Amino acid sequence: MSAEIICVGTELLLGDILNSNSQFLAQQLAKLGIPHYYQTVVGDNPERLKQVIEIAIARANILIFTGGLGPTPDDLTCETIADFFGAPLVEDPEIIEDITQKFAQRGRVMTPTNRKQALIPQGAEVLPNPTGTAPGIIWQPRSEITIFTFPGVPSEMHRMWYETAVPFLQSQGWGKEIIYSRSLRFWGIGESALAEKVSSYFNLPNPTVAPYAGKGEVRLRISAKAASEAAAEELIAPIEQQLKEIAGLDCYGADDDTLASVVGELLRSAGETVSVAESCTGGGLGQMFTEIAGSSDYFWGGVISYDNSAKVRLLGVNPEDLEKFGAVSPVVAEQMAIGVKSCLETTWGLSITGIAGPGGGTDTKPVGLVYIGLAGPNDEVKSFEHRFGTMRDRWFIRHLSACTALDLLRRRLLTK
């Protein structure tokens, strides 16, 4: 037995609305241990919706619809489902009363078009909507098929799911097993390189391991099916430990960890501080630090030295070195790191200077060339060259630069 999520709305196909409902439902199904293998988005078209239903009932037992339950002519979900299964629509008086009261509470009168929302397939149960005017249904048109419909408004759908759908599914025996996942996060290693190292884990039956990549990082998701979250964690723990040992420093955290949060905890535990000097990232690195609550414990500030004059006046970069080597150079990155560390009197100084593009590159210094400087205790200073590629856009190069700077500091803090 499995579930299929079907999201209805032309606005979803046009990209006018982000489809967060499918993500929410997928996570909730996993918590109940209900497998689901397909998600479908279809526009407000009865014939295409019927085609989707035809396909879905051949491969799933639980069909979960969101969207298309409003009062307007293009809200066709409920009547299309009823028509597909050959059931008449009947007006539910309790829904009429509920909608009338909600309009009255807002000082309004229910319009005739809202009566449409009270039409449900004969034999279906009402799935109450405590906050909105569009109720859903729970319906078993065939013994092997269960249908849920929800409005597309996320806040309404979430409450209806928790208050009615979950208890119903649990009464049918679901929720005795859950699917629980933990994601390990990696920086400084590509997806293919990591996959090669841990390929033997991809065929495990329970827990399973799968790789994901995005925004410069790689993740390994470990998922276990068990009777409880605690039991699932017991299955996951040894696999997680083995994967961490294989990856070494390339694994920086898990789940909601970020490079900035991990670096922050390392600094806090050591009683150390950091400041930043940024050129091509324009404050992006400092923003990553300050997104973490309590980061003032270890992050003392930064200098955005976009122009060379700011590098000289604020950070003490040697103008002769700027003239000779250019702003994008190891020596300037090191002097920027030393300068901000000295200026703000922190334990560590971290700097970034590079060419984010799309213009400004040359044959010897192409777009994507970035130097990161790190200055530390006992006059320690070092620069690191990175070439992030000429085909990447400006935002991505800046993002990679800031994250790589954090990662360099993380590795240094772990190996000092």
Side-chain angles (χ1 to χ4, degrees), residues 214-298:
K215 296 184 179 180
E217 76 168 7
V218 184
R219 299 188 188 190
L220 289 178
R221 188 199 64 202
I222 314 170
S223 299
K225 191 169 187 177
S228 66
E229 185 174 313
E233 287 178 336
E234 285 186 16
L235 292 172
I236 288 172
I239 303 301
E240 177 182 351
Q241 184 59 36
Q242 291 166 30
L243 292 172
K244 286 181 176 179
E245 289 174 359
I246 292 170
L249 287 178
D250 289 332
C251 180
Y252 75 82
D255 295 335
D256 295 330
D257 289 337
T258 65
L259 283 163
S261 69
V262 170
V263 168
E265 285 305 309
L266 290 171
L267 289 167
R268 181 183 281 114
S269 63
E272 297 179 345
T273 56
V274 65
S275 54
V276 299
E278 302 183 63
S279 184
C280 68
T281 46
L285 178 57
Q287 181 184 15
M288 288 181 177
F289 272 116
T290 55
E291 282 176 347
I292 309 301
S295 56
S296 59
D297 291 346
Y298 49 82

Side-chain angles (χ1 to χ4, degrees), residues 198-221:
V198 300
S199 59
S200 61
Y201 289 83
F202 295 156
N203 295 320
L204 295 177
N206 189 31
T208 61
V209 178
Y212 299 88
K215 296 184 179 180
E217 76 168 7
V218 184
R219 299 188 188 190
L220 289 178
R221 188 199 64 202

Side-chain angles (χ1 to χ4, degrees), residues 103-399:
F103 269 84
Q105 289 168 0
R106 301 168 189 170
R108 298 164 57 193
V109 177
M110 185 185 77
T111 62
T113 56
N114 284 97
R115 295 188 74 94
K116 175 185 177 183
Q117 294 175 300
L119 294 172
I120 65 173
Q122 191 173 54
E125 297 179 29
V126 176
L127 203 170
N129 184 341
T131 55
T133 61
I137 63 169
I138 302 175
W139 188 32
Q140 293 180 304
R142 298 176 185 172
S143 60
E144 74 281 7
I145 300 293
T146 300
I147 289 174
F148 295 84
T149 66
F150 297 91
V153 180
S155 59
E156 295 179 18
M157 188 265 287
H158 292 184
R159 186 167 174 182
M160 294 164 70
W161 174 264
Y162 289 127
E163 293 185 3
T164 305
V166 170
F168 176 86
L169 288 166
Q170 289 175 331
S171 73
Q172 303 298 303
W174 292 103
K176 293 180 179 178
E177 283 193 315
I178 66 162
I179 300 172
Y180 176 80
S181 297
R182 185 160 172 80
S183 291
L184 301 184
R185 308 182 71 157
F186 303 80
W187 193 272
I189 185 171
E191 182 182 16
S192 59
L194 180 61
E196 187 174 336
K197 284 186 173 184
V198 300
S199 59
S200 61
Y201 289 83
F202 295 156
N203 295 320
L204 295 177
N206 189 31
T208 61
V209 178
Y212 299 88
K215 296 184 179 180
E217 76 168 7
V218 184
R219 299 188 188 190
L220 289 178
R221 188 199 64 202
I222 314 170
S223 299
K225 191 169 187 177
S228 66
E229 185 174 313
E233 287 178 336
E234 285 186 16
L235 292 172
I236 288 172
I239 303 301
E240 177 182 351
Q241 184 59 36
Q242 291 166 30
L243 292 172
K244 286 181 176 179
E245 289 174 359
I246 292 170
L249 287 178
D250 289 332
C251 180
Y252 75 82
D255 295 335
D256 295 330
D257 289 337
T258 65
L259 283 163
S261 69
V262 170
V263 168
E265 285 305 309
L266 290 171
L267 289 167
R268 181 183 281 114
S269 63
E272 297 179 345
T273 56
V274 65
S275 54
V276 299
E278 302 183 63
S279 184
C280 68
T281 46
L285 178 57
Q287 181 184 15
M288 288 181 177
F289 272 116
T290 55
E291 282 176 347
I292 309 301
S295 56
S296 59
D297 291 346
Y298 49 82
F299 178 69
W300 284 10
V303 174
I304 303 174
S305 54
Y306 209 60
D307 187 75
N308 283 350
S309 61
K311 294 180 177 69
V312 173
R313 292 201 308 267
L314 301 178
L315 299 173
V317 174
N318 188 329
E320 294 180 0
D321 289 335
L322 277 167
E323 180 68 26
K324 182 177 180 180
F325 301 108
V328 183
S329 61
V331 65
V332 169
E334 291 176 7
Q335 290 180 25
M336 289 171 63
I338 294 170
V340 76
K341 174 181 177 292
S342 175
C343 176
L344 294 179
E345 298 182 343
T346 52
T347 316
W348 301 91
L350 197 54
S351 70
I352 303 175
T353 178
I355 305 169
T362 66
D363 290 341
T364 55
K365 293 186 177 182
V367 169
L369 175 65
V370 174
Y371 289 96
I372 298 170
L374 179 61
N378 303 318
D379 298 325
E380 172 189 345
V381 63
K382 191 174 182 180
S383 60
F384 305 83
E385 179 183 291
H386 291 272
R387 294 177 181 262
F388 294 122
T390 58
M391 302 304 293
R392 285 171 164 157
D393 65 27
R394 181 178 179 84
W395 175 88
F396 197 35
I397 290 172
R398 285 154 56 100
H399 173 76

